[in-house]
Short mmCIF file of all heavy atoms in Angstrom, two decimals:
data_model
loop_
_atom_site.label_atom_id
_atom_site.label_comp_id
_atom_site.label_asym_id
_atom_site.label_seq_id
_atom_site.Cartn_x
_atom_site.Cartn_y
_atom_site.Cartn_z
N LYS A 36 -2.98 19.74 8.21
CA LYS A 36 -3.24 20.71 9.28
C LYS A 36 -2.44 22.00 9.13
O LYS A 36 -2.73 22.98 9.81
CB LYS A 36 -2.94 20.08 10.63
CG LYS A 36 -3.87 18.94 11.00
CD LYS A 36 -3.53 18.36 12.37
CE LYS A 36 -4.46 17.22 12.73
NZ LYS A 36 -4.12 16.63 14.05
N GLN A 53 4.11 4.10 -10.87
CA GLN A 53 4.73 5.42 -10.92
C GLN A 53 3.78 6.45 -10.30
O GLN A 53 2.56 6.25 -10.26
CB GLN A 53 5.05 5.82 -12.37
CG GLN A 53 6.08 4.91 -13.03
CD GLN A 53 6.26 5.23 -14.50
OE1 GLN A 53 5.32 5.15 -15.28
NE2 GLN A 53 7.48 5.62 -14.86
N ILE A 86 9.02 16.73 -1.53
CA ILE A 86 7.99 17.57 -2.16
C ILE A 86 7.51 18.55 -1.10
O ILE A 86 7.20 18.15 0.01
CB ILE A 86 6.81 16.72 -2.67
CG1 ILE A 86 7.29 15.64 -3.65
CG2 ILE A 86 5.74 17.59 -3.33
CD1 ILE A 86 6.25 14.57 -3.93
N THR A 91 5.11 22.61 4.44
CA THR A 91 5.21 21.18 4.76
C THR A 91 5.99 20.42 3.69
O THR A 91 5.68 20.51 2.50
CB THR A 91 3.81 20.56 4.91
OG1 THR A 91 3.17 21.10 6.07
CG2 THR A 91 3.89 19.04 5.06
N ASN A 133 10.27 34.10 -1.08
CA ASN A 133 11.00 33.63 0.10
C ASN A 133 10.94 32.13 0.20
O ASN A 133 11.94 31.46 0.49
CB ASN A 133 10.42 34.26 1.36
CG ASN A 133 10.77 35.73 1.50
OD1 ASN A 133 11.65 36.22 0.82
ND2 ASN A 133 10.06 36.42 2.36
N ILE A 161 20.12 34.41 -3.06
CA ILE A 161 19.79 35.54 -2.18
C ILE A 161 19.74 36.85 -2.97
O ILE A 161 18.83 37.66 -2.82
CB ILE A 161 20.80 35.65 -1.03
CG1 ILE A 161 20.63 34.47 -0.06
CG2 ILE A 161 20.63 36.98 -0.28
CD1 ILE A 161 21.71 34.39 1.01
N SER A 239 23.15 50.23 2.83
CA SER A 239 22.41 49.27 3.66
C SER A 239 23.24 48.00 3.77
O SER A 239 23.94 47.61 2.83
CB SER A 239 21.02 48.96 3.09
OG SER A 239 21.10 48.48 1.77
N ASP A 258 25.31 43.64 1.18
CA ASP A 258 25.18 45.09 1.30
C ASP A 258 24.75 45.70 -0.02
O ASP A 258 24.80 45.07 -1.08
CB ASP A 258 26.46 45.75 1.83
CG ASP A 258 27.64 45.68 0.89
OD1 ASP A 258 27.45 45.41 -0.31
OD2 ASP A 258 28.79 45.88 1.36
N ASP A 272 15.04 38.04 9.10
CA ASP A 272 14.54 36.76 9.58
C ASP A 272 14.78 35.66 8.55
O ASP A 272 15.08 34.52 8.90
CB ASP A 272 13.05 36.85 9.90
CG ASP A 272 12.78 37.59 11.19
OD1 ASP A 272 13.68 37.63 12.05
OD2 ASP A 272 11.68 38.13 11.35
#
Side-chain angles (χ1 to χ4, degrees):
K36 294 181 180 179
Q53 296 174 300
I86 303 166
T91 293
N133 287 345
I161 290 172
S239 57
D258 67 17
D272 285 336

